[in-house]
Amino acid sequence: MRRFQFRLERFLDLRRWKEREWELALAKILGECLLLENRITDIGAEIAESRLAVFTVGVRVDIEAMSRRELYVQRLLRERERARAALEEKRKEMEKVRARYLEASKERKVLDKLKERRAQEYYDQQRDEEFKTVDDLNTSAAASRGIEKVEKARE
């Protein structure tokens, strides 16, 4: 029995490649989102740690150090807000890429299903042809035996 060859195999390979490209793009954006989320968490921890620090010199409170700490916290807060805005943009971009990935995946799955269906039809047809061939061989063998019996009976 010959192996099934799908005529659209190259097209299917192209769809698989396209799907893989979108999958990689989605993974890249997801990684960027995770980095931004981790940075936001780290900044929050830095802010909490900075606010817990006490600056004293002897008995007096170091006002200058407290002022610098407050400026540092303000900078961290601005940085966290920028990171949150960037994260929101990345999430929007990720949704667009996810939609494209799902579309590419759907296109590939359609061709995969078509290939499976055509392969099943091909193998069913080959099995039917094989059955017909075996049946013809059996019929001709039976006919040959019948002719031989008739010839022996005549003798």
Side-chain angles (χ1 to χ4, degrees):
M1 183 183 304
R2 285 185 11 211
R3 231 184 77 175
F4 172 71
Q5 291 187 352
F6 189 51
R7 289 182 319 159
L8 301 174
E9 190 68 39
R10 288 185 186 173
F11 196 56
L12 180 59
D13 289 341
L14 183 63
R15 294 246 173 118
R16 284 183 185 132
W17 179 81
K18 184 179 175 184
E19 179 186 20
R20 180 71 177 146
E21 287 295 312
W22 283 112
E23 183 180 16
L24 292 174
L26 182 61
K28 179 183 176 196
I29 291 177
L30 183 60
E32 292 170 359
C33 286
L34 289 175
L35 287 174
L36 284 169
E37 288 172 357
N38 288 340
R39 181 65 185 139
I40 291 169
T41 302
D42 292 345
I43 290 172
E46 262 185 81
I47 291 171
E49 187 178 305
S50 178
R51 286 200 169 144
L52 292 177
V54 177
F55 295 97
T56 58
V57 177
V59 179
R60 293 182 298 140
V61 174
D62 188 358
I63 300 295
E64 197 173 301
M66 287 177 61
S67 175
R68 284 191 309 266
R69 182 190 69 206
E70 189 56 34
L71 289 174
Y72 177 65
V73 167
Q74 292 301 317
R75 184 181 65 80
L76 287 176
L77 288 170
R78 284 191 306 273
E79 188 177 327
R80 184 171 63 178
E81 286 308 310
R82 282 192 301 267
R84 284 183 178 160
L87 177 62
E88 195 60 36
E89 287 299 315
K90 286 291 179 186
R91 285 184 177 160
K92 289 177 184 177
E93 187 179 338
M94 185 173 65
E95 287 306 313
K96 290 176 185 175
V97 170
R98 179 179 284 140
R100 296 294 305 262
Y101 167 71
L102 290 175
E103 180 183 320
S105 179
K106 181 181 170 185
E107 289 174 358
R108 188 231 357 122
K109 287 178 184 177
V110 165
L111 274 182
D112 272 343
K113 294 266 187 209
L114 178 64
K115 179 181 178 179
E116 289 173 13
R117 191 172 60 238
R118 294 258 172 95
Q120 188 62 44
E121 290 170 0
Y122 175 79
Y123 288 123
D124 289 346
Q125 184 181 21
Q126 289 296 314
R127 190 182 53 239
D128 289 347
E129 291 295 322
E130 188 176 318
F131 180 76
K132 287 177 187 175
T133 303
V134 169
D135 190 41
D136 287 346
L137 289 173
N138 288 336
T139 303
S140 64
S144 295
R145 278 181 270 154
I147 291 173
E148 289 174 6
K149 284 183 184 178
V150 169
E151 287 178 0
K152 283 186 183 179
R154 286 187 186 169
E155 295 177 355

